[in-house]
Amino acid sequence: MHRDTVRMLFLSAALILSAHITMAGSTERATAAFAEGKELMQQGQFDAALKAYAQAAKNDPENQSYRQEYHLLRQIIKMRKRLEKESNIDKWVSTASGLRQFYNTEGLYNEALAIDKMGHEKLHTTESALQLAHSLLATEKPNEAAALLVGLGDSAPVKAKILLGIAHAQQNSMDLAKAVAATCKLDDNSGPDLAYNLACLQSLTGNKEAAIDSLARAFAYTPPSRQSVLKEQAGKDKNLVAIASLPNFAKALETESKIKESSCSGGTSCGKCPSRDKCGTSSSSKTSQ
């Protein structure tokens, strides 16, 4: 073979190898930047996390998830700033609802707690009390949650009773928790949120099979695009530790949704969307949370 031809082939191979090495390096840097962004967000450093996400997207432009997370977090930051200045109570509640959904999805429970404290101060409704109690339990403050829920009285909705039972269990008052659990039942109009909370209470009080049945029901009445988020949450939920290793728990995770999907998402991104409850998903009453 002619020496110039050999030389050209060698240079071509070297360039291809160099391109692969450069691409691999960019992918590794993107992965590291994205992980850094996740860590920064968990620390409440949203602006720094956004910069890290932008760097990840720049280093690996083919990875759509990096761009999606960047645009989502940018929207969240705008909503946070808007919430601080919002004087219209209806708009404040709408923005706060979207932020709370994002925070709970990402496990940012202290951020959700801060919003729910403000919300209950503004509204003083049963629903705002329930939201605050949920965040207090998520941040391991069962004493405060129990005091708040008891204050709602005997006429409180079943969700309040379930959350109170969870608070008793987290306080190691298992007799009280079991007594509450025995009185909590789901009806045909109970949504996935209620079924999930009941599963937590049943798991904490040792009623494992009932807990798995309630959990499967929660999955069944959750829209497809939200299922992966809820199932991931269930796998990490401390309240469900007692059933997480059971074979039927894995079976429950395979439960398919009975709910029609939102036409705008096509089942790809509603799970984290802070506006997901305003876009007209399924008309089924069982999707209400």
Side-chain angles (χ1 to χ4, degrees):
M1 185 178 294
H2 195 278
R3 185 167 59 181
D4 289 342
T5 302
V6 173
R7 184 169 181 272
M8 288 299 296
L9 290 174
F10 175 79
L11 289 174
S12 297
L15 287 172
I16 292 172
L17 178 60
S18 176
H20 281 299
I21 292 174
T22 300
M23 186 181 298
S26 295
T27 301
E28 290 177 359
R29 289 193 296 273
T31 301
F34 187 73
E36 180 184 8
K38 283 288 186 182
E39 180 63 28
L40 288 167
M41 190 168 64
Q42 289 297 319
Q43 297 171 8
Q45 301 183 47
F46 291 85
D47 290 330
L50 187 67
K51 291 179 180 179
Y53 284 171
Q55 189 61 49
K58 180 180 179 180
N59 286 333
D60 189 358
E62 298 300 319
N63 191 318
Q64 294 186 6
S65 65
Y66 292 161
R67 293 198 301 274
Q68 290 173 353
E69 291 293 331
Y70 169 80
H71 289 300
L72 175 59
L73 183 55
R74 186 170 66 173
Q75 181 184 359
I76 292 299
I77 290 173
K78 290 180 180 179
M79 292 172 68
R80 283 166 60 88
K81 292 178 179 178
R82 187 161 67 244
L83 191 70
E84 294 175 359
K85 302 176 182 179
E86 188 58 70
S87 58
N88 181 287
I89 187 62
D90 291 334
K91 292 181 179 179
W92 189 96
V93 169
S94 178
T95 302
S97 176
L99 286 171
R100 182 189 307 107
Q101 290 169 0
F102 175 80
Y103 293 150
N104 284 327
T105 297
E106 294 294 326
L108 301 171
Y109 301 124
N110 284 315
E111 297 287 345
L113 176 59
I115 282 185
D116 288 335
K117 284 183 175 179
M118 287 188 288
H120 193 48
E121 289 176 0
K122 291 175 180 290
L123 302 173
H124 288 288
T125 63
T126 298
E127 182 59 30
S128 67
L130 294 176
Q131 290 172 344
L132 178 54
H134 182 276
S135 288
L136 287 168
L137 291 173
T139 52
E140 300 181 354
K141 297 177 176 64
N143 294 346
E144 294 179 45
L148 178 63
L149 293 164
V150 168
L152 295 177
D154 294 334
S155 60
V158 66
K159 182 176 180 179
K161 297 175 182 178
I162 292 174
L163 293 179
L164 180 58
I166 293 173
H168 287 322
Q170 290 185 0
Q171 292 172 307
N172 292 320
S173 299
M174 297 308 298
D175 288 341
L176 288 175
K178 289 179 180 179
V180 171
T183 67
C184 296
K185 306 294 182 183
L186 301 178
D187 58 32
D188 291 340
N189 293 318
S190 297
D193 180 58
L194 203 62
Y196 185 92
N197 287 328
L198 182 57
C200 290
L201 176 56
Q202 291 166 332
S203 175
L204 288 168
T205 54
N207 196 350
K208 297 180 181 180
E209 290 304 319
I212 290 174
D213 289 343
S214 296
L215 190 62
R217 174 171 174 165
F219 294 149
Y221 291 104
T222 297
S225 63
R226 303 189 198 179
Q227 270 200 335
S228 61
V229 172
L230 187 61
K231 289 178 180 180
E232 182 179 356
Q233 176 184 333
K236 298 177 181 178
D237 199 324
K238 294 180 180 179
N239 295 321
L240 298 175
V241 169
I243 63 173
S245 61
L246 298 179
N248 283 346
F249 181 83
K251 185 176 180 180
L253 290 175
E254 298 174 358
T255 303
E256 296 184 359
S257 176
K258 297 180 179 180
I259 302 301
K260 292 182 179 180
E261 188 54 73
S262 164
S263 59
C264 71
S265 73
T268 60
S269 62
C270 280
K272 289 187 177 182
C273 179
S275 301
R276 67 190 187 192
D277 284 340
K278 296 182 289 183
C279 67
T281 54
S282 171
S283 61
S284 169
S285 64
K286 292 184 178 179
T287 64
S288 63
Q289 294 189 40

